[in-house]
Amino acid sequence: MIVRQAIAYRSLALVIGAALLCGGCSVIDGPVLDPKGPITLAERDLLFKAVAIMMVVIIPVFVMAALFFWRYRGTNRNAKYTPNLAYYWPVEILVWGVPAAIIIWLGIHLWHDTYKLDPYNEIDPSVKQLQVQAIAQDWKWLFVYPEQNIAVVNELVFPAGQPLSIRITSDTVMNSLVIPALAGQIYAMAGMETRLNVLANEPGKFWGRNMQYSGTGFADQQFRAIATTEEDFDAWVDKVKAASGTLDASTYEALAKPSQKVPVTYYSGVEPNLFDSIIAKYSHGDTDRMPATAAHAAPAAEPAAEAAE
Amino acid sequence: MSATTMTVTPQDAEKYEEKEFGFWLYLMSDAIIFALLFATYLVMVGNAAGGPTGKELFSLERAAGETALLLLSSTTFGVAAVALSQGDRPKVLLWLGITFLLGAGFIFLEIGEFRGMIDQGAGPDRSGFLSSFFTLVGTHGLHVSVGLSWIAVMFGQVVFKGLTAPVASRFMRLGLFWHFLDIIWVVIFSVVYLPGLL
Amino acid sequence: MDIFGRLTIDSLPFYSAIAASGAGITVLGALSVMAVITYLSAWRLVLFDWVSSIDHKKIGIMYIMVALVMLMRGFIDAAMMRSQQAIAYNNEGYLPPGHFDQVFSSHGTIMIFFMAMPFLSGLINLIMPQQIGSRDVAFPFMNAISLWLTTAGAGLVLISLVIGKFSTAGWTGYPPYSGSQFTPGVGVDYWLWAVLISGVGSTMTGINFLVTIIKCRAPGMTMLRLPVFTWTVFVTSILMVFAFPSLTVAAGMLVLDRTLDMHFFTNGMGGNMMNYINLFWLWGHPEVYILILPAFGVFSEVVAVFSQKRLFGYISLVLATMAIGFLSFTVWLHHFFTMGSSARVNSFFGTMTTIIAVPTGVKVFDWLFTIYRGRIIFKPPMLFTLGFLVTFTIGGLSGVLLALPPVDYLMHNTTFLIAHFHNVIIPGVLFGYIAGYMFWFPKAFGFNLNEKWGTWSFWCWIIGFYLAFMPLYLLGFLGMPRRMEHYEIAAWQPHLIVAAIGALIIFFGIVCMAVQLIVSIRDRQSALDLTGDPWNGRSLEWATSSPAAPYNFAVLPQVQSVDAWWDMKARGVAYQRPQQYEDITLPKNTFIAAVIGGSAFVFGFAMIWYIWWLAILCLAVIFVSVVVRASDDDSDYIMTAAEVKAIEDERFAQLAKAPKNEMADDPGFAGEPIPEAST
């Protein structure tokens, strides 16, 4: 009975290992483990560091479990049996102390990296940021480029190597903007502004989407995020500027109506102050609104170059 | 019915102590509900959405009147409690009755206040600020109303059962409840009405 | 005024085959139960011995029955999600979004509120009073109200399958999506009232258990002699009393928004959705510790009994439990790191979250060291415990990862999160309560559960779990969000197929549990627990008969040590026949609690469908019931010493026929309890 169980445990381990290996292949190329920007690279590094340090606790648990479950099975009369061993202070010191030490080490990294990777921080403030305003709608994303006076639905194009500074709000329920290969997510909420700073190291095609369930069209609320060369970006801007439609108040209202699987749409002009007016529509000067930058400390002194390492 | 049958066995005394302790725990959970309602109010006090604010709506006189009625009712309840310990049934009934009237007066004033605000277009559906105001003050008012019905039931029990040990135990718990609501009102007065008006 | 509120014939689920089948199964299920009871001529028994009972043991059993029924219902939701996601690559699958969204919402709601909460309330009710040497909980009548309020909430979720629809806003119900602007209709209201009504029951339960532990312990049962299970119940109860009010406020405000057009959480008009999220998670985080601490308690009991060794590190375990309880109130923001709070705020809550891993880790090590130099007996409760120790650790690891805000920015709302919380809830909470169910079943019913089926159930559960949830970690790394009704990324599908297979194997695990129950009932005469102590247990619940007499202990035990029962056995004072019996006061049965629960159910239904006259009527019924009960000074009856003696004599007669130790035949048996030699 016990031997059967041991064999079963080993087979279980094999099955899991195989499954993980098979799954692991595609995962290595997945957005989280193969990041394409300094933010996600830093986030992944923190993940690896944390996993590594936690192994100090995890591996002993697995080893002890395997050893103890086998050695101390009731029928094994060779093993020592001490039925009243209920306390041993060195063990106590170890099991409280080692995890505490790990948590302190982790805490330092947590604190440091949370400040460094605050989504509100501009990546390398010494460089000009590309300003984009993102408005979540049901069930699509509207991106406004205020400096170029263009707007796009479901496509975010930007030059690789130039930091992208996105101001985000919602004209519907709570959404969450993410481009997994490049930057972690942040909520989009009506009447409030949040910020996300993104940087792609090299040109590439990525995807972004809404991560906060928002209704029937949620599954399709995905957009293309494309990092291009400088020239290609300028060419793209020109292409958008050649579009026939502009995003004025009435076009915006029509667009904001619920729709799913919306194809990429270009607008060659944008209603001035559109983004701010959408926020104002909801916020009425309320005092508890999400402050855009008030709560967030000044960007850390570390330049983007270090983050891009 | 005899004046008092308050001889209590040790097991019964234990049972009443447990009930009182349990009731305290309930009051603590209620205190948390109110604390969260206060926190919500404080966060949303500035969210008038372009509508009326406390300054325009609150009346110091009425708030003072409500305060006086409620605090007085706590005092009269205390007198009734003393009467209970003395085994004086008629006195208990009298002061319980006065407590009820004072509490009812409080509710009457509060309903008037709410009605007036709603008629002015300043109902709980006007803005986040007003939603949190009506909910905080209204939840307290709801508790007071439940307290009033409890006082009425207590009145009936004293009439029909007399000042027995179980009746006395319930009476004490009612007292805890009533005084607790008093404290909450003092905080409401201090956090909602005074800052709103000053 | 419309007599039916907003209820119309269109509220019936004839708009879709799937909805109609769901309704059909629910109605059929209810009718079958009633048919079986009629067939067995058991209505008298059901009504007068169970529904009207306020005995904690019966209440506990009824809670567990609710939990097991809802486990099946919630599992069907899971199976639907897994099968939909396995096939819905580049196609719509078989579940349209509106339906899929109801399914994921009801899955979470059911599993947390109507499976895990009743399961733990049931086990605690059944066992904790016996563990502390008490005759009942402090407030038996309120105990029954809690049961029936929970059942009322479960009833609302079930009836939403037949009349109307359920919420599509997830088990968390975030506004403004869950507000009336974006989700009008009854779905969210069903969710809100189910949660509110059962939440009141849970608050009362917390108060009840807390007073019981503080005030009703047997002589000599100091706090530091309590079994660790009771310690976890103690801390859990504190969490219940202090956390549930926050849920009441959050859900209550959302009801006000939806029903009376208020603006707590609306877009605009001064509403702020962030308040809901704070209030909800202020409850939500302590809630997950409410769910798991009693399971940790179960594991503590099981690991000691089936290692045939004292639990290692008692003081550490108690301190760790208290630390977890306290810390659970300091971490709630980690559920919304991505809501835009500053780095300082995020770092604080992230750090507190990682700190909570320390006492949890201590517990895992203490359990492992209990096994160290013990003699393990691999009965099903122990199998679930061993499976927990290994598997939960992985979940703890993923939790620490998610506690790092920058990592959470990537992984939040992905399937990585789903994998994490299932990785702690299933091996942690569910295995704990299944272990508890199998461990304490003989105490509840007087006969043992079939071990073979229990073992098979365990293997299906654990293999199924790994297959169903490890792929979700990988999918999180691939960026897959949660709550996806269909998707267009090919790389996701293979993992989802594996996950669906895992769900299928879990289904077999559930089937094994059902077969186990049926077979055990059929074979009960050959598996009787004659002594009341089938596992050579250590704590006082094993001192009573199986099932225990209504009064639990004829004479309250005198406790002299931790592991009180083991100590009594070792000193040779177990099973001592008292010189003399005394009259025992017990609460009478009463239907009032069930009436209150039933009225609460109808009240919820009426509030959902805007049938105002019915709502007021129900409130009146509840008020009158409470007043009637509160005016009843004669709610107890006295069991005379003679009656007690008769019951006890029968027990001692049975003991005479029983083997000295029911575990003596097990090949791993390590020996009788002996007095502990001074170290």
Side-chain angles (χ1 to χ4, degrees), chain C residues 471-485:
Chain C
L472 294 187
Y473 279 124
L474 302 178
L475 282 167
F477 287 128
L478 291 174
M480 178 176 178
R482 66 192 291 197
R483 301 173 172 169
M484 288 287 272
E485 184 260 343

Side-chain angles (χ1 to χ4, degrees), chain C residues 177-386:
Chain C
Y177 178 78
S178 58
S180 47
Q181 180 191 356
F182 293 100
T183 312
V186 296
V188 177
D189 295 305
Y190 263 116
W191 177 77
L192 282 168
W193 286 105
V195 158
L196 274 171
I197 290 172
S198 63
V200 171
S202 299
T203 312
M204 289 187 200
T205 297
I207 294 174
N208 216 339
F209 289 162
L210 210 47
V211 177
T212 307
I213 294 174
I214 293 177
K215 295 281 184 188
C216 303
R217 285 167 281 136
M221 178 65 86
T222 60
M223 290 300 282
L224 288 179
R225 287 178 183 163
L226 286 175
V228 170
F229 177 68
T230 301
W231 264 111
T232 60
V233 173
F234 179 68
V235 175
T236 301
S237 307
I238 297 176
L239 295 185
M240 279 185 189
V241 174
F242 285 95
F244 268 88
S246 195
L247 177 68
T248 307
V249 170
M253 287 176 176
L254 190 53
V255 165
L256 291 173
D257 265 11
R258 290 178 62 85
T259 317
L260 291 180
D261 267 333
M262 294 205 195
H263 293 290
F264 284 105
F265 313 123
T266 53
N267 272 351
M269 295 297 279
N272 191 341
M273 65 194 86
M274 298 194 287
N275 288 341
Y276 176 90
I277 289 169
N278 273 281
L279 287 168
F280 181 86
W281 286 114
L282 205 56
W283 163 83
H285 197 83
E287 165 68 4
V288 308
Y289 289 102
I290 291 172
L291 294 183
I292 203 155
L293 283 177
F296 284 170
V298 173
F299 291 131
S300 304
E301 304 295 329
V302 169
V303 82
V305 168
F306 291 112
S307 302
Q308 304 186 80
K309 185 166 164 285
R310 265 187 71 181
L311 187 59
F312 187 92
Y314 180 91
I315 294 279
S316 261
L317 285 168
V318 168
L319 287 174
T321 307
M322 294 203 272
I324 292 173
F326 172 74
L327 287 169
S328 73
F329 280 102
T330 63
V331 301
W332 79 91
L333 194 130
H334 70 228
H335 296 273
F336 46 96
F337 280 138
T338 56
M339 200 158 76
S341 23
S342 68
R344 181 184 317 173
V345 169
N346 278 354
S347 308
F348 171 77
F349 281 96
T351 308
M352 296 311 291
T353 308
T354 56
I355 291 177
I356 239 186
V358 176
T360 315
V362 167
K363 286 183 163 236
V364 171
F365 284 116
D366 280 338
W367 292 317
L368 283 170
F369 277 103
T370 305
I371 297 173
Y372 176 73
R373 292 199 180 162
R375 289 254 160 93
I376 306 176
I377 296 188
F378 292 91
K379 301 259 183 214
M382 188 60 165
L383 292 176
F384 279 101
T385 305
L386 300 179

